[in-house]
Amino acid sequence: MRRAARVCAVALTLTAGVALPAARVDAAPSRSPLTGSKPSWARPDTKAADSDSAAKIQLRVYLHGTNSDGAEAAAMDVSNPDSPRFRQFSSPAQVLASYGPTTATVNGVSSWMTGNGMH
């Protein structure tokens, strides 16, 4: 259980996933590269074959939470035997409510992704 709390805290505090700009709903979608989204090995000379344009791929987007300092402090509290909160873990729903991204952020990113052809 301690490992789960640390993993949760690391995921919330590091959130090193893709950061996507929120687009205006009325704006026409345009293509623009996401800074840092292209791996160094993704070059034309390393291409093995064309991909199937009908193939589905899975994508995960990690959003920065609202209170990473609080999430880290909570993870330290539940991991410290001297703390009154030792081993009093929060549920995933409690963690999301306390430290997750705002609804506006989630909706903005979802709109941007849908507007750019990701379903």
Side-chain angles (χ1 to χ4, degrees), residues 19 27 51 60 66-67 73-74 91 100 103 115:
S51 61
R60 284 188 186 201
T66 56
N67 183 1
S91 71
T103 301

Side-chain angles (χ1 to χ4, degrees), residues 10-61:
V10 168
L12 287 171
T13 58
L14 297 181
T15 57
V18 178
L20 301 173
R24 290 183 13 201
V25 175
D26 60 340
S30 63
R31 293 188 177 263
S32 59
L34 300 173
T35 304
S37 64
K38 181 180 173 188
S40 61
W41 52 262
R43 302 181 318 268
D45 61 309
T46 61
K47 181 179 175 179
D50 288 331
S51 61
D52 179 3
S53 62
K56 292 184 179 184
I57 61 169
Q58 289 186 338
L59 174 70
R60 284 188 186 201
V61 176

Side-chain angles (χ1 to χ4, degrees), residues 31-118:
R31 293 188 177 263
S32 59
L34 300 173
T35 304
S37 64
K38 181 180 173 188
S40 61
W41 52 262
R43 302 181 318 268
D45 61 309
T46 61
K47 181 179 175 179
D50 288 331
S51 61
D52 179 3
S53 62
K56 292 184 179 184
I57 61 169
Q58 289 186 338
L59 174 70
R60 284 188 186 201
V61 176
Y62 294 92
L63 301 173
H64 197 279
T66 56
N67 183 1
S68 57
D69 290 338
E72 186 173 354
M76 296 302 289
D77 275 349
V78 299
S79 302
N80 179 356
D82 296 329
S83 170
R85 292 198 54 216
F86 181 59
R87 292 191 177 181
Q88 294 179 12
F89 303 104
S90 298
S91 71
Q94 289 169 320
V95 171
L96 185 61
S98 297
Y99 311 111
T102 65
T103 301
T105 298
V106 172
N107 291 342
V109 171
S110 294
S111 284
W112 184 89
M113 292 178 75
T114 302
N116 283 279
M118 294 174 244

